[in-house]
């Protein structure tokens, strides 16, 4: 009997966001769940509750000073955590703790064997660095999950795959010289889009050289350009044979996103997820954790994230 795909749902998770004038509004969670419900995958899914992380878990990736700074700013309730993208809204510390806690709960569910595949919308906050917030991202749940898998489960060879339109700089620079973190990221070329990093020559440092793949795509690149890049990612994953795969499945590369300039369709999300499921089955006992990441056109977000979950169900 196939295990259900775990999809995380709950108002504590929905609370992470920055208000209706900001691209990362708190409506994104409900928009996704409405689209998923319409896809009627019902009995193949298990809707799991959000969880809250504790400061010790944050400290697996972030500095104590930065964690205290977010807590203090959140109590104060105004200003920005970065240079204008990540406003302090009331309760942002608690909401950010929920994003991290939910990604870690999904990690635990997979490692316990309750499921092989899990999807956490809203998570995938890949810009936060060890020392600070950036680009709508307060705490880097993906970076924390990587450290958590190592500490709690002794899983060393982890693959982080990122198809968000923005480069996953927080994860890349957090593990740039770490040979056991396989990193593969397609994104809109940094010469045209935030955060400006992720050039093809950024292939890792020291012993990690060659274990990181950054593939910048030109403005207006569509599915064809993506799939060409994707073959290189698939080849790297077969070579590295990871024990656990994390996918940051940002939906902001789809045509019509208000803040980027790519032209993917949801076929990108469907095929990327299906391929990762097969690779996970071959090397990682099926273990695949996907996070929602970006995506600011609400219809696209529903379509792309539903395609991720559907591909997980169909390959389970
Ligand atoms: N790209 C982009 C973009 N758009 C915005 C933005 C637009 C409207 C607003 F009301 C507020 C912000 N900011 C940016 C980027 C940050 C993008 C973060 C993407 C997050 C993710 O999808 O990858 C994962 C969840 N920031 C910038 O371009 C920096 C600025 C240079 C311009 C915007 N101002 C507000 C700050 C400085
Ligand atoms: Zn993005």
């Amino acid at each position: 009997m196939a295990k259900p795909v775990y999809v995380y749902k709950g108002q504590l998770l929905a609370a992470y966001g920055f208000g209706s004038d900001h691209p990362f509004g708190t409506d994104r969670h409900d928009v996704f769940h409405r689209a998923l419900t319409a896809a009627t995958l019902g009995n193949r899914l298990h809707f799991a509750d959000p969880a809250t992380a504790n400061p010790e878990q944050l400290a697996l990736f972030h500095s104590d000073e930065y964690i205290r700074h977010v807590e203090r700013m959140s109590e104060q309730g105004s200003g920005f955590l970065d240079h204008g993208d990540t406003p302090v809204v009331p309760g942002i510390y608690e909401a950010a703790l929920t994003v991290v806690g939910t990604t870690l709960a999904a990690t635990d569910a997979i490692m316990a064997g309750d499921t092989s595949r899990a999807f956490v919308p809203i998570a995938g906050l890949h810009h936060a660095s060890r020392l600070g917030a950036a680009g709508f991202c307060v705490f880097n749940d993906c970076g924390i999950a990587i450290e958590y898998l190592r500490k709690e489960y002794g899983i060393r060879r982890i693959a982080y795959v990122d198809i968000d339109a923005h480069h996953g700089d927080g994860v890349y620079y957090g593990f740039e010289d770490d040979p056991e973190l396989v990193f593969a990221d397609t994104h809109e070329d940094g010469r045209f889009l935030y955060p400006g990093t992720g050039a093809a020559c950024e292939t890792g440092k020291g012993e990690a050289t060659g274990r990181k793949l950054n593939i910048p795509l030109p403005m207006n690149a569509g599915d064809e350009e993506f799939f060409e890049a994707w073959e290189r990612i698939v080849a790297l994953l077969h070579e590295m044979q990871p024990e656990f795969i994390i996918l940051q499945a940002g939906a902001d590369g789809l045509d019509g996103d208000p803040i980027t300039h790519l032209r993917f369709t949801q076929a990108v999300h469907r095929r990327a997820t299906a391929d990762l499921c097969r690779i996970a089955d071959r090397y990682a006992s099926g273990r695949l954790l996907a996070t929602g990441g970006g995506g600011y056109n609400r219809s696209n977000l529903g379509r792309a994230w539903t395609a991720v979950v559907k591909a997980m169900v169909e390959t389970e």
Side-chain angles (χ1 to χ4, degrees):
M1 183 67 176
K3 290 176 185 166
V5 171
Y6 273 38
V7 180
Y8 286 80
K9 181 177 184 181
Q11 288 314 300
L12 286 175
L13 184 60
Y16 184 87
F18 304 98
S20 54
D21 295 339
H22 192 284
F24 204 124
T26 51
D27 60 314
R28 296 169 77 248
H29 170 281
D30 289 1
V31 166
F32 160 63
H33 275 289
R34 275 196 296 276
L36 185 65
T37 304
T40 60
L41 302 170
N43 63 357
R44 315 279 299 272
L45 304 179
H46 169 76
F47 291 100
D49 293 331
T52 305
N54 58 53
E56 291 72 43
Q57 291 168 330
L58 300 181
L60 292 169
F61 184 80
H62 293 288
S63 72
D64 291 334
E65 199 182 329
Y66 172 57
I67 296 165
R68 280 197 299 273
H69 173 70
V70 177
E71 197 176 1
R72 273 196 305 267
M73 289 290 283
S74 181
E75 278 163 18
Q76 187 188 301
S78 64
F80 286 91
L81 289 167
D82 62 354
H83 303 292
D85 279 318
T86 317
V88 176
V89 294
I92 191 64
Y93 176 68
E94 289 74 18
L97 281 179
T98 301
V99 175
V100 175
T102 306
T103 296
L104 297 185
T107 306
D108 285 333
I110 293 171
M111 292 310 299
D114 299 336
T115 184
S116 304
R117 331 267 203 230
F119 179 72
V120 187
I122 314 306
L125 302 180
H126 60 174
H127 296 304
S129 75
R130 292 187 184 268
L131 302 178
F136 318 163
C137 303
V138 176
F139 297 128
N140 194 323
D141 57 297
C142 295
I144 295 168
I146 291 163
E147 300 288 11
Y148 183 76
L149 276 163
R150 291 172 169 182
K151 176 167 173 268
E152 295 297 324
Y153 298 104
I155 299 272
R156 301 293 317 175
R157 211 169 50 259
I158 300 164
Y160 172 83
V161 180
D162 188 324
I163 61 171
D164 191 283
H166 300 91
H167 178 232
D169 54 346
V171 180
Y172 179 78
Y173 294 113
F175 297 92
E176 191 179 17
D177 58 0
D178 182 330
E180 291 179 311
L181 195 267
V182 181
F183 177 96
D185 190 322
T186 60
H187 47 270
E188 186 175 332
D189 193 315
R191 286 173 295 181
F192 315 123
L193 191 71
Y194 178 93
T197 52
C201 61
E202 298 195 85
T203 56
K205 275 194 172 157
E207 281 182 36
T209 305
R211 306 261 167 105
K212 323 282 171 189
L213 196 49
N214 278 300
I215 311 183
L217 300 171
M219 277 171 125
N220 298 314
D223 291 8
E224 204 175 311
E225 289 89 344
F226 175 86
F227 290 132
E228 206 179 306
W230 182 248
E231 282 178 27
R232 297 175 54 207
I233 292 180
V234 168
L236 177 70
L237 296 174
H238 280 297
E239 186 189 331
M240 297 312 303
Q241 306 192 359
E243 300 166 85
F244 193 106
I245 303 176
I246 299 174
L247 169 65
Q248 202 274 24
D252 47 7
L254 266 64
D255 193 7
D257 190 274
I259 71 169
T260 74
H261 322 92
L262 296 177
R263 291 170 169 260
F264 301 163
T265 70
Q266 66 269 26
V268 156
H269 289 71
R270 187 170 61 232
R271 162 113 166 257
T273 307
D275 285 352
L276 293 180
C277 285
R278 282 187 280 269
I279 293 168
D281 283 344
R282 187 147 164 202
Y283 306 113
S285 309
R287 298 185 286 233
L288 174 64
L289 165 62
T291 61
Y296 306 102
N297 172 313
R298 295 335 194 221
S299 317
N300 283 348
L301 174 159
R303 273 194 278 271
W305 291 355
T306 298
V308 170
V309 175
K310 194 160 183 274
M312 285 178 154
V313 164
E314 285 170 356
T315 54
E316 174 60 51

